[in-house]
Amino acid sequence: MNDNDFMAVALSEAEKAFEMGETPVGAVVVCGGEIVSKAFNTRETGKNALYHAEIKAIDEACKKLGGWRLWKCELFVTLEPCAMCAGAIVQSRVKRVVFGTGDAKGGAFGGRFDINGFGLNHVPEVVGGVMEKECSELLTRFFTRLRGKKAEEKDRI
């Protein structure tokens, strides 16, 4: 499997979040070319700010692999990770991060800022723009739908 194949799995996870009304972000942890874990955002349904796809996928990978150091692993995620997730990526020593679409407002690997530029103890390799169009379109569909619902609620008042 290649980067596009793994990103397609992450996108499938993001679709699950979309169907639940969650911000559609999916993540996959890969080690040695094999999928170790996959997850999607559940902040709203789980009522927990920590339930980002990346955090959940990293947590599951640590449990499955029996340790917190994911130095042989790659993380594929549909949206550029935020500061919280970038911190978890650095702390878990993920060797490579591949994301779909950038996040100019909150991305921490070059979108809003670049955590790799702070001289931390671990600097993952970062690749952006893999299946960017598909990842971006899913987010656009979600936020268009969300704005439509908010407009309908406003009209009822």
Side-chain angles (χ1 to χ4, degrees), residues 56-98:
K56 292 172 59 185
I58 288 169
D59 182 53
E60 185 180 334
C62 289
K63 289 173 183 170
K64 281 187 177 178
L65 296 173
W68 62 268
R69 291 177 187 88
L70 303 179
W71 60 278
K72 294 181 181 181
C73 298
E74 300 170 289
L75 175 73
F76 293 80
V77 60
T78 57
L79 178 66
E80 180 183 352
C82 70
M84 175 180 71
C85 294
I89 289 163
V90 169
Q91 290 301 312
S92 63
R93 311 298 196 267
V94 169
K95 82 173 175 184
R96 184 170 178 251
V97 178
V98 179

Side-chain angles (χ1 to χ4, degrees), residues 1-135:
M1 291 181 73
N2 62 31
D3 287 358
N4 283 357
D5 295 326
F6 292 124
M7 188 60 74
V9 175
L11 195 54
S12 176
E13 289 295 302
E15 289 276 0
K16 293 175 187 177
F18 180 89
E19 295 304 322
M20 292 176 59
E22 295 278 352
T23 303
V25 178
V28 176
V29 173
V30 174
C31 190
E34 300 293 322
I35 294 174
V36 176
S37 64
K38 52 190 179 178
F40 56 90
N41 277 358
T42 57
R43 283 190 316 173
E44 298 298 331
T45 54
K47 307 288 188 239
N48 191 319
L50 301 177
Y51 288 0
H52 285 214
E54 301 96 319
I55 301 289
K56 292 172 59 185
I58 288 169
D59 182 53
E60 185 180 334
C62 289
K63 289 173 183 170
K64 281 187 177 178
L65 296 173
W68 62 268
R69 291 177 187 88
L70 303 179
W71 60 278
K72 294 181 181 181
C73 298
E74 300 170 289
L75 175 73
F76 293 80
V77 60
T78 57
L79 178 66
E80 180 183 352
C82 70
M84 175 180 71
C85 294
I89 289 163
V90 169
Q91 290 301 312
S92 63
R93 311 298 196 267
V94 169
K95 82 173 175 184
R96 184 170 178 251
V97 178
V98 179
F99 66 83
T101 190
D103 184 356
K105 290 184 178 180
F109 284 108
R112 185 71 177 154
F113 69 95
D114 189 354
I115 197 167
N116 279 348
F118 287 92
L120 300 176
N121 62 327
H122 176 71
V123 177
E125 176 188 342
V126 178
V127 176
V130 175
M131 294 184 67
E132 182 174 17
K133 182 180 180 218
E134 296 87 342
C135 295

